[in-house]
């Protein structure tokens, strides 16, 4: 029962984290930048934001973005962070699918617990890889961007990527380390035969 609860906690936290990684990948407010000194930018109320896909200018009544479409002139760190975040997003698809198939409420015939255990472990490993890609990208990007321009603050996209990656790392680690062993995985779920009021009719179900 404890292993089942931990598995559910790991799945929910990982799913929420994966959504956070997708949001971070799709949005452009990774860092808030300033072309002048910070004091001058605050007085002029003119700041910029830099992301994976566009550079934006934020001013009073104006929000204009310039898409970063020319791959040949893009800095290497932008291309690398793009690749890492896309990889993290794609890795989440099979990971979530594998973990959905081993949830306690899902039954796939009389499948042995060992098969579900292997899928659970594979899903957890994919989540950890997802988290590592996200962590590397969300640390590498602001460090490299700071060498090009003055960073005023981190944007919400970067915070979303950090939180999402941390949740995926936590969830994947819980699933890999706390799911029990292959022999007992999935064997601690019980249901009662319909119409039976006696506990002696309880049957175990391998799901």
């Amino acid at each position: 029962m404890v292993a089942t609860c931990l598995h559910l906690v790991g799945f929910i936290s990982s799913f929420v984290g994966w959504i956070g990684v997708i949001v971070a990948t799709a949005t452009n407010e990774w860092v808030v930048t300033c072309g002048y000194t910070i004091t001058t930018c605050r007085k002029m109320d003119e700041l910029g934001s830099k992301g994976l896909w566009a550079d934006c200018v934020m001013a009073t009544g104006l929000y204009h973005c310039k898409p970063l479409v020319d791959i040949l002139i893009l800095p290497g760190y932008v291309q690398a962070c793009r690749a890492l975040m896309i990889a993290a997003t794609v890795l989440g698809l099979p990971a979530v699918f594998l973990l959905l198939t081993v949830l306690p409420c899902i039954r796939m015939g009389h499948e042995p617990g060992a098969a579900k255990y292997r899928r659970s472990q594979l899903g957890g490993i994919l989540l950890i890889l997802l988290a590592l890609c996200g962590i590397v990208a969300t640390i590498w990007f602001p460090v490299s961007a700071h060498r090009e321009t003055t960073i005023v603050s981190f944007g919400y996209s970067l915070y979303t990527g950090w939180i999402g990656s941390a949740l995926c790392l936590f969830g994947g680690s819980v699933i890999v380390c706390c799911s029990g062993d292959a022999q007992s995985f999935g064997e601690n779920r019980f249901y009662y035969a319909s119409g039976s009021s006696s506990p002696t009719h309880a049957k175990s179900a391998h799901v």
Side-chain angles (χ1 to χ4, degrees):
M1 185 64 182
V2 174
T4 301
C5 292
L6 289 174
H7 187 276
L8 287 173
V9 169
F11 172 75
I12 293 172
S13 62
S14 300
F15 182 78
V16 174
W18 179 49
I19 297 299
V21 170
I22 294 175
V23 171
T25 305
T27 53
N28 287 306
E29 289 194 27
W30 279 51
V31 292
V32 178
T33 61
C34 178
Y36 311 99
T37 64
I38 296 177
T39 304
T40 304
C41 286
R42 287 175 177 171
K43 288 180 179 180
M44 297 175 60
D45 194 20
E46 182 176 334
L47 296 172
S49 67
K50 190 176 182 66
L52 298 177
W53 311 102
D55 288 340
C56 301
V57 176
M58 299 178 291
T60 304
L62 174 66
Y63 188 85
H64 175 71
C65 292
K66 177 185 177 182
L68 302 175
V69 294
D70 195 342
I71 299 179
L72 297 179
I73 63 174
L74 280 179
Y77 75 91
V78 175
Q79 300 187 44
C81 290
R82 279 184 180 183
L84 286 170
M85 294 302 290
I86 292 173
T89 302
V90 172
L91 284 172
L93 289 171
V96 169
F97 175 76
L98 288 170
L99 294 177
L100 277 174
T101 62
V102 299
L103 288 176
C105 56
I106 302 297
R107 295 182 181 181
M108 299 178 65
H110 297 285
E111 186 179 32
K116 300 190 76 171
Y117 176 81
R118 287 192 294 270
R119 290 206 304 274
S120 174
Q121 293 295 293
L122 179 58
I125 292 171
L126 289 176
L127 286 172
I128 292 175
L129 293 176
L130 181 163
L132 293 177
C133 289
I135 290 171
V136 171
T138 52
I139 292 176
W140 189 358
F141 188 91
V143 170
S144 298
H146 182 63
R147 298 173 182 172
E148 293 184 344
T149 184
T150 303
I151 294 179
V152 178
S153 64
F154 299 135
Y156 76 89
S157 302
L158 200 63
Y159 288 116
T160 304
W162 282 338
I163 295 172
S165 299
L167 286 174
C168 288
L169 182 61
F170 169 76
S173 300
V174 168
I175 291 170
V176 170
C177 301
C178 304
S179 294
D181 53 26
Q183 287 73 25
S184 62
F185 189 85
E187 295 183 358
N188 57 342
R189 293 134 190 173
F190 298 89
Y191 67 92
Y192 290 91
S194 58
S196 174
S197 59
S198 172
T200 58
H201 290 85
K203 299 180 181 180
S204 62
H206 300 280
V207 295

